[in-house]
Amino acid sequence: MEFRLLGLVEVRAGGTVVDAGRPRQRMVLSALLVDAGRVVPTHVLIDRVWGDALPGNVLGTLRAHIARIRRVLERASALGDEPLQLIHRAGGYVLDLDPDRIDLHRARRLLRASREDGCRDERRLGLLREAIRLWQGEPLTGLDGDWVNRMRLAWERERVELVLAWARAELRGDNPEAVLGPLHELAERHPLVESLAAMLMRALAAAGRPAEALERYANLRAKLVAELGAEPGPELQAVHRAVLRGELDGQDAKATATPVVPVVPAQLPADVSAFTGRDSELNRIDELLSQVGAGGDTAVLISAVSGTAGVGKTALAIHWAHRVRERFPDGQLYVNLRGYDPDQPVSPADALAGFLAALGVSGQDVPIGLDERAARYRSEIADRRVLIVLDNAATVEQVRPLLPGTPSCMVLVTSRDSLAGLVAVHGAVRLDLDLLPLGDAVALLRRLVGTRVDAEPTAAAALAGQCARLPLALRIAAELVVTRATTPLADLVAEFSDLHRRLDLLDGGGDPRIAVSAVFSWSVRHLEPPAARMFRLLGLHPGPDADAHAAAALADTGLDSARQALDRLARACLVTQTGHGRFGMHDLLRAYAVELAGADLAADDLKAALRRLFDYYLATAAAAVDLLYPAEVHRRPRVGPARTPVPAITDPQSARGWLEAERACLAACAAHTADHDLPEHAVRLSSILFRYLYGGYATEALAVHGYARQAAQLTGDVAGEAQAALGLGVAHVQLGRYVMGGWHFEQAVALFGRSGDRTGEQHALTNLGTVLWWQGQYAAAGERYSRSLALCRQMGDRIGEARALGNLASVEERLGHYDSAAEHVRRALALFREAGDRTGEPEALSNLGLVEARLHQFEPALRHLRQALEMFAQLGSPRGEGYTLDNLGIACTLQGQPDEALGHHLRARALLRGIGDRDGEASALNGMGEAAQAGGDPADAVTHHTAALAVGSTARDQQARAHDGLGRAYLALGELAQARQHGQRAAELYTELNVPFADWQKGG
């Protein structure tokens, strides 16, 4: 009996195709065949087959498909094949068969065998031909869905890898005509995969069709430049040169081009133009890369490139990385750690968040803590060939969490520091980068300036010496030379020499960086006054970069003038473009600009420039946040209009776009204003950004609110300190630091009380109660909610009163006090309806339905839960829908309808997992376990409760619930030791939560 996945899903037996049924049934069969011989958990099967579009009785529907598939297998066995079992085992199903009977698994085995040491060319070719024949069209033909699409994408990558291996083998056998058709077809489907194009060019050349190979290269190059702004990679360029020289034939096709993965991180900055010299350093790094094991992987090699500022560390690393990027087909990661930026070095946690996003990890799945992020990062790149470039590192501590744990990656670190700990502990190989040799320095000038260097070799050598042979200085000097095309180099050298001597007298230490200051001064002297003034003022900007609006604020000028000045500075290499319309400075240039500003501009002018800049950021941030969150305008400080131009923020998209682009600059402004005599700006910025940062920017929130609290304390601003403490509490809670978050909320409660802000005090009490509730301290949470309720009633805040009553009801429900919970939530529902609050009403309905189900009042419970579900769907609230579906599942289990309950919990899990709500996902999985137990399937219950523990929820009640369910399930299975262990752990947790066992299970 054989099975096909690489085409139309089929079952074959005795030379006959056995009907595998309708598409959904073939989906179930495919989901089992992919993991043949292994148990596929029930919930995984359901995810693969239905995704989020679950039928009403999904468990019953799945069982019906399983039964029909068993009949298909029986018919196939009757055709002469041995019987094949589809077994229900350990919470899932397993097709007990040899994977080699499935075309997908057989193709994989054949490809692996072709790569074994000692495999001769003839045998390799036979294995690969057999594997190629197994691909009969589009995998899983006739099926669709998210899982199917993911499988097709992954298998297409495998197909590219297989076709390339087969094509290499055919070309070794001097059979290019055999591969042209398949290669052409794949290259048309993947026009930007350079390894396919390179192999097709080899085949065309070997078949005597070099003109077609060259035409294909030209077309692909034009496409790469137009769509990606990039030239072809080194491998493709090498093949192109070989075709031009007529050097390619069938035997030449032994090159081992690595297939390019369709979607991989490619974070390297653009290659350095006119890179010159450094041959010995490049060769040394090449030697490290050449330490390749039998599997084709490098060790975790770390080349710590160190040297003085401006010596070209970053240029060397990026240039080398581009030379070898094809050796790392699983991607290239890059981060500028800004280790020597005085205000905003990149933390390891932030760098890891960026890497995980580049590796395809969604934002809600990025772990909170540094250690957890590092572990997830190492898991994501395990056994992948990835190049990691860590630029401008300050310390070993900044680098260590970013090191992989796999023998398939290479790390390149640049730093001004020697990073001795990286060498001693992690085995890094340090390259100390010195000044360019004079010959290379002159060669760089020749590439940048042109033939004038050859016409005046003595002057060119003198100019290189004046630049201390530092690449950064050489590039800036070259730009200045180009702008003075009619002046002889010797005259320029004489002019520069006088200034250089004067600067040299100011510093007797012989530091080569003094030459950089000299070159900077040459370049700045030739700027027009507006651009020169802009250069000085840009050095004052505390953020990593700036746009024309920020530059206009600093210079107190119009937007067009600011743009012209920035363009002029960019042409002079005094700023670099960091993004669309954004410009940054090398740290040496920034230091020099600040030095010039302090020497040439009055102190009052500098203060006025910074105040204009911070006023601009305050006004624009306030406008953007007010547009995004209009309901809370009254809670934010009013800000006057900026004196300088502001961007057009007219809709939520433009508002969010501006905040996203300026987030790092806003955090830097908070730090600067708190420390430099502008504390009121830091406090107001914290209050303005509170709601925006609440949306998932906890790291920036800690910085902004932390600086604001520091500034408020210095000025005695109790109200500002209270708001900042509230923001700090929210940020810590978002990072999972409940104890620290609770401490800040306690502080906020006291500070709001001192300032007389009862609304703020009520908000802080509610947040504090919620933190205590999450920690399982229900009595303490109830006390804070009661105080919040009293404040709302004093202020006549009916909506606040309703929310406080709902919070109290949740506490009572967890403690098993269902009658008082129902009373609180009914009153909350009435208040929401009186106020016409369409967001609070469905939440109250959902909570009421759950409490009524606990009281066995099933008719009103189901009615209220379905009303809530409909309202949440209308509001577009996946979180509300998810929790209501979870409550519906609990109600159905209590009512004795476990199959229907499982369907509700499955949909709840999909929604809550999609928004990254781990507590909610754990609750849904626990509900699935309870439904399975109620339906007489303790093995499924074990699977679901174990998955609930694995989700990583910090909610103690869900952990207790999972252990409780596992204890009951293992008891039903007769595994007494396991039952006792989990039962004891559940009892411990319930005792900590002050929740009696009997009350928790009351009504269940």
Side-chain angles (χ1 to χ4, degrees):
M1 196 180 306
E2 295 183 346
F3 300 86
R4 284 184 56 196
L5 294 174
L6 303 177
L8 184 69
V9 177
E10 287 182 346
V11 181
R12 293 176 177 269
T16 302
V17 175
V18 180
D19 184 11
R22 293 175 178 269
R24 191 70 71 180
Q25 184 172 312
R26 284 187 278 122
M27 280 277 286
V28 177
L29 177 61
S30 302
L32 291 163
L33 289 170
V34 167
D35 286 309
R38 296 194 296 267
V39 175
V40 184
T42 302
H43 67 88
V44 172
L45 267 178
I46 291 170
D47 275 348
R48 289 176 178 177
V49 176
W50 287 281
D52 294 339
L54 301 174
N57 183 8
V58 67
L59 188 60
T61 305
L62 175 64
R63 288 170 179 160
H65 284 310
I66 293 291
R68 286 193 285 269
I69 290 171
R70 283 178 173 142
R71 289 196 288 272
V72 170
L73 298 177
E74 289 170 2
R75 290 197 299 273
S77 298
L79 294 173
D81 277 12
E82 62 187 61
L84 182 62
Q85 298 295 315
L86 173 51
I87 304 166
H88 180 239
R89 180 190 297 162
Y93 294 88
V94 58
L95 265 174
D96 192 10
L97 81 162
D98 180 359
D100 213 45
R101 294 190 182 189
I102 304 163
D103 55 2
L104 171 70
H105 297 291
R106 188 158 64 254
R108 288 171 172 170
R109 179 186 61 76
L110 292 166
L111 179 59
R112 286 195 302 271
S114 74
R115 292 172 168 168
E116 291 176 357
D117 290 341
C119 184
R120 295 181 178 276
D121 285 352
E122 185 177 348
R123 171 171 166 72
R124 178 181 296 111
L125 182 56
L127 292 169
L128 293 171
R129 283 174 174 171
E130 183 181 350
I132 287 289
R133 282 194 292 269
L134 293 171
W135 286 81
Q136 300 294 321
E138 182 181 63
L140 305 174
T141 299
L143 306 181
D144 59 18
D146 289 343
W147 176 76
V148 170
N149 292 333
R150 289 198 304 273
M151 289 302 98
R152 283 190 185 129
L153 183 63
W155 297 347
E156 185 71 1
R157 171 183 172 180
E158 294 184 41
R159 185 178 189 180
V160 170
E161 186 177 1
L162 172 61
V163 168
L164 287 170
W166 165 69
R168 282 194 292 272
E170 292 284 8
L171 290 179
R172 285 191 186 98
D174 198 19
N175 189 20
E177 295 291 346
V179 304
L180 288 175
L183 281 174
H184 182 80
E185 177 190 351
L186 264 186
E188 290 299 314
R189 284 163 51 186
H190 304 288
L192 299 181
V193 176
E194 295 186 28
S195 55
L196 278 172
M199 188 60 72
L200 179 53
M201 288 175 64
R202 291 177 186 278
L204 287 167
R209 297 155 64 178
E212 293 180 46
L214 294 173
E215 182 183 6
R216 176 158 291 274
Y217 176 85
N219 292 338
L220 177 57
R221 180 183 179 277
K223 195 174 186 66
L224 286 168
V225 171
E227 297 187 14
L228 303 180
E231 290 288 336
E235 178 197 354
L236 199 55
Q237 291 185 33
V239 173
H240 178 239
R241 288 192 298 269
V243 174
L244 286 172
R245 292 193 295 262
E247 296 173 352
L248 279 184
D249 57 26
Q251 297 302 313
D252 231 358
K254 296 180 180 180
T256 55
T258 305
V260 177
V261 181
V263 180
V264 295
Q267 294 187 313
L268 292 177
D271 199 357
V272 181
S273 62
F275 185 90
T276 303
R278 302 300 189 196
D279 291 338
S280 62
E281 290 87 353
L282 291 168
N283 291 337
R284 179 67 180 117
I285 307 176
D286 283 342
E287 289 174 12
L288 299 178
L289 180 60
S290 68
Q291 297 174 16
V292 178
D297 296 332
T298 66
V300 182
L301 298 174
I302 307 164
S303 176
V305 180
S306 59
T308 189
V311 79
K313 301 181 296 296
T314 297
L316 173 69
I318 291 173
H319 181 68
W320 181 83
H322 276 281
R323 289 202 332 173
V324 301
R325 63 180 180 179
E326 77 279 2
R327 298 286 298 273
F328 298 94
D330 294 318
Q332 306 91 41
L333 296 170
Y334 170 87
V335 63
N336 181 359
L337 293 170
R338 301 204 302 269
Y340 295 90
D341 188 315
D343 291 323
Q344 289 291 315
V346 175
S347 70
D350 288 347
L352 285 168
F355 280 175
L356 288 171
L359 291 164
V361 178
S362 59
Q364 63 265 22
D365 289 331
V366 173
I368 293 168
L370 173 61
D371 291 342
E372 292 80 5
R373 285 184 181 179
R376 179 66 182 268
Y377 162 68
R378 290 192 295 270
S379 298
E380 289 292 329
I381 61 174
D383 300 321
R384 297 176 67 179
R385 281 181 283 179
V386 179
L387 175 63
I388 302 144
V389 180
L390 308 178
D391 198 12
N392 289 321
T395 64
V396 176
E397 288 69 26
Q398 195 182 21
V399 169
R400 186 174 288 116
L402 309 179
L403 301 180
T406 179
S408 57
C409 296
M410 185 168 183
V411 185
L412 205 58
V413 186
T414 75
S415 177
R416 294 188 208 169
D417 189 85
S418 63
L419 299 179
L422 202 64
V423 176
V425 177
H426 296 281
V429 177
R430 185 169 62 234
L431 298 180
D432 291 321
L433 211 57
D434 204 347
L435 308 177
L436 278 175
L438 181 59
D440 287 343
V442 173
L444 177 57
L445 283 174
R446 182 181 298 108
R447 296 189 67 180
L448 296 169
V449 173
T451 57
R452 293 168 68 187
V453 169
D454 295 326
E456 299 183 72
T458 302
L463 180 59
Q466 288 175 329
C467 293
R469 309 196 310 275
L470 288 169
L472 174 63
L474 286 162
R475 287 176 180 274
I476 293 175
E479 178 62 27
L480 188 59
V481 170
V482 168
T483 63
R484 300 175 66 180
T486 60
T487 305
L489 275 183
D491 291 353
L492 290 172
V493 168
E495 180 184 340
F496 296 161
S497 294
D498 180 64
L499 177 59
H500 181 68
R501 282 197 300 274
R502 289 204 305 270
L503 287 170
D504 195 38
L505 291 174
L506 300 176
D507 187 285
D511 187 341
R513 284 177 291 183
I514 191 66
V516 181
S517 296
V519 176
F520 292 169
S521 69
W522 306 335
S523 194
V524 172
R525 282 180 65 205
H526 291 85
L527 290 173
E528 300 80 5
R533 182 169 180 268
M534 181 67 79
F535 174 73
R536 289 163 168 79
L537 293 173
L538 276 177
L540 305 176
H541 194 297
D545 56 12
D547 67 357
H549 291 91
L554 278 167
D556 196 15
T557 187
L559 199 58
D560 288 341
S561 298
R563 286 176 175 144
Q564 290 169 7
L566 288 171
D567 288 343
R568 179 67 183 89
L569 293 176
R571 291 197 304 274
C573 298
L574 292 171
V575 298
T576 55
Q577 193 159 1
T578 59
H580 180 66
R582 303 190 69 83
F583 298 86
M585 279 183 169
H586 187 284
D587 52 1
L588 282 179
L589 283 164
R590 182 191 295 272
Y592 183 66
V594 170
E595 180 183 339
L596 286 184
D600 299 343
L601 301 175
D604 288 345
D605 290 341
L606 299 181
K607 289 182 179 178
L610 283 170
R611 182 172 285 276
R612 285 192 304 272
L613 177 70
F614 299 137
D615 285 346
Y616 156 72
Y617 277 122
L618 271 181
T620 314
V625 174
D626 284 352
L627 202 88
L628 286 173
Y629 311 101
E632 299 176 10
V633 169
H634 64 286
R635 293 289 300 161
R636 291 187 283 271
R638 293 297 84 207
V639 176
R643 288 177 44 194
T644 55
V646 296
I649 295 179
T650 56
D651 53 46
Q653 183 178 359
S654 60
R656 187 167 295 281
W658 185 86
L659 289 167
E660 294 289 311
E662 300 290 355
R663 193 166 66 246
C665 290
L666 292 169
C669 287
H672 189 93
T673 53
D675 291 337
H676 294 83
D677 300 325
L678 290 170
E680 72 280 0
H681 281 74
V683 174
R684 296 165 85 191
L685 190 61
S686 164
S687 184
I688 287 168
L689 294 176
F690 174 84
R691 180 56 59 189
Y692 166 70
L693 295 175
Y694 180 80
Y697 307 109
T699 302
E700 290 88 346
L702 287 177
V704 170
H705 301 316
Y707 286 120
R709 187 166 189 189
Q710 169 189 324
Q713 288 171 337
L714 287 173
T715 59
D717 182 355
V718 177
E721 185 182 354
Q723 187 65 38
L726 184 65
L728 284 169
V730 170
H732 279 293
V733 167
Q734 286 185 320
L735 292 169
R737 304 167 184 166
Y738 295 129
V739 174
M740 185 61 72
W743 183 84
H744 282 291
F745 289 142
E746 289 275 18
Q747 298 283 307
V749 169
L751 289 165
F752 279 125
R754 282 173 54 196
S755 67
D757 184 347
R758 290 188 297 175
T759 300
E761 184 180 358
Q762 183 264 324
H763 286 165
L765 280 167
T766 299
N767 279 290
L768 179 57
T770 301
V771 167
L772 294 167
W773 187 86
W774 282 337
Q775 292 176 283
Q777 301 179 35
Y778 298 125
E783 189 272 333
R784 270 59 170 198
Y785 287 147
S786 296
R787 288 168 58 188
S788 174
L789 176 62
L791 281 172
C792 289
R793 286 173 171 166
Q794 289 174 19
M795 295 183 293
D797 182 355
R798 307 290 272 177
I799 297 298
E801 180 183 351
R803 296 197 182 282
L805 284 166
N807 290 330
L808 277 173
S810 295
V811 169
E812 298 285 6
E813 188 269 333
R814 289 297 168 98
L815 292 172
H817 306 158
Y818 302 129
D819 290 323
S820 57
E823 181 182 343
H824 288 318
V825 78
R826 286 190 182 107
R827 176 60 181 152
L829 179 60
L831 288 169
F832 281 130
R833 284 175 168 167
E834 287 174 15
D837 189 326
R838 296 285 291 174
T839 60
E841 183 179 349
E843 187 174 335
L845 283 166
S846 183
N847 290 336
L848 178 58
L850 177 62
V851 172
E852 288 170 334
R854 297 287 192 199
L855 292 168
H856 284 196
Q857 299 170 6
F858 295 117
E859 183 178 348
L862 295 175
R863 183 175 69 253
H864 290 140
L865 287 166
R866 287 171 181 142
Q867 288 174 3
L869 191 61
E870 182 179 351
M871 293 182 73
F872 277 128
Q874 292 171 355
L875 291 170
S877 171
R879 187 176 188 276
E881 284 188 75
Y883 276 97
T884 301
L885 283 164
D886 194 35
N887 290 344
L888 258 174
I890 293 171
C892 288
T893 296
L894 293 172
Q895 197 179 14
Q897 298 176 346
D899 283 359
E900 187 174 348
L902 180 61
H904 293 313
H905 287 306
L906 279 164
R907 285 193 288 275
R909 184 200 178 198
L911 284 167
L912 296 168
R913 181 176 55 184
I915 60 173
D917 189 332
R918 286 182 168 78
D919 293 347
E921 185 182 354
S923 179
L925 284 163
N926 278 324
M928 291 163 65
E930 289 156 4
Q933 182 76 14
D937 194 345
D940 266 6
V942 167
T943 298
H944 299 317
H945 288 305
T946 301
L949 288 174
V951 163
S953 165
T954 56
R956 305 285 279 173
D957 60 325
Q958 294 305 330
Q959 295 172 21
R961 189 176 168 194
H963 284 293
D964 183 9
L966 284 167
R968 296 170 188 272
Y970 279 122
L971 184 63
L973 292 168
E975 300 183 27
L976 301 184
Q978 291 271 49
R980 187 177 299 110
Q981 176 187 342
H982 287 287
Q984 288 174 348
R985 182 57 181 147
E988 292 169 2
L989 287 168
Y990 285 135
T991 301
E992 291 176 17
L993 297 171
N994 198 27
V995 178
F997 253 119
D999 282 348
W1000 183 265
Q1001 293 297 327
K1002 182 178 178 181

